[in-house]
């Protein structure tokens, strides 16, 4: 495995863990009535969304530098885009 593939693999793992964390944040948000906890969960969700956008921009940059159609970079890009789309759908849940 090349060094760049190792970095991309670490980013894939991070996107996966952030995706699970977003799901847990939304579950905790709706299961609590404590306003302080809800506010903290809201800001944590916002920070995770920002990190996902950073990873997505890195993935786009790396994808433009490769000529291969199937690669770890393509997987990272796809995972980050799907997770961002998921967070956009779930973001509306905070305002119910």
């Amino acid at each position: 495995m090349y060094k760049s593939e190792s970095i991309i693999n670490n980013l894939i793992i991070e996107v996966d863990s952030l995706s699970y964390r977003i799901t847990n944040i939304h579950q905790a948000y709706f299961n609590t009535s404590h306003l302080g906890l809800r506010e903290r969960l809201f800001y944590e969700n916002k920070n995770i969304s920002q990190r996902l956008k950073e990873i997505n921009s890195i993935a786009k940059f790396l994808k433009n530098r490769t000529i291969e159609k199937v690669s770890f970079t393509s997987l990272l890009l796809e995972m980050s885009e799907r997770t961002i789309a998921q967070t956009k759908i779930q973001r509306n849940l905070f305002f119910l």
Side-chain angles (χ1 to χ4, degrees):
M1 182 180 293
Y2 298 109
K3 290 180 184 179
S4 62
E5 288 178 353
S6 177
I7 293 169
I8 293 169
N9 190 33
N10 288 340
L11 289 173
I12 289 172
I13 292 169
E14 184 177 355
V15 168
D16 195 36
S17 66
L18 291 175
S19 175
Y20 285 124
R21 183 62 189 141
I22 287 171
T23 303
N24 291 335
I25 287 171
H26 287 278
Q27 288 175 351
Y29 186 85
F30 290 113
N31 289 332
T32 187
S33 60
H34 190 272
L35 295 178
L37 178 59
R38 282 183 160 223
E39 184 177 340
R40 195 183 94 217
L41 291 170
F42 180 80
Y43 286 113
E44 185 177 354
N45 186 64
K46 184 178 176 181
N47 291 336
I48 289 173
S49 295
Q50 289 174 349
R51 179 61 183 153
L52 285 169
K53 289 177 184 176
E54 290 173 2
I55 292 172
N56 189 25
S57 66
I58 291 169
K60 286 179 182 178
F61 174 75
L62 293 173
K63 178 67 176 159
N64 289 337
R65 293 183 52 115
T66 185
I67 58 173
E68 298 174 359
K69 291 188 178 187
V70 178
S71 63
F72 281 123
T73 307
S74 299
L75 178 62
L76 175 62
L77 183 62
E78 182 67 27
M79 285 181 68
S80 64
E81 287 177 350
R82 286 183 184 207
T83 305
I84 289 171
Q86 176 188 4
T87 58
K88 286 181 182 178
I89 292 170
Q90 291 179 347
R91 183 177 299 145
N92 294 332
L93 297 177
F94 280 112
F95 299 111
L96 291 178

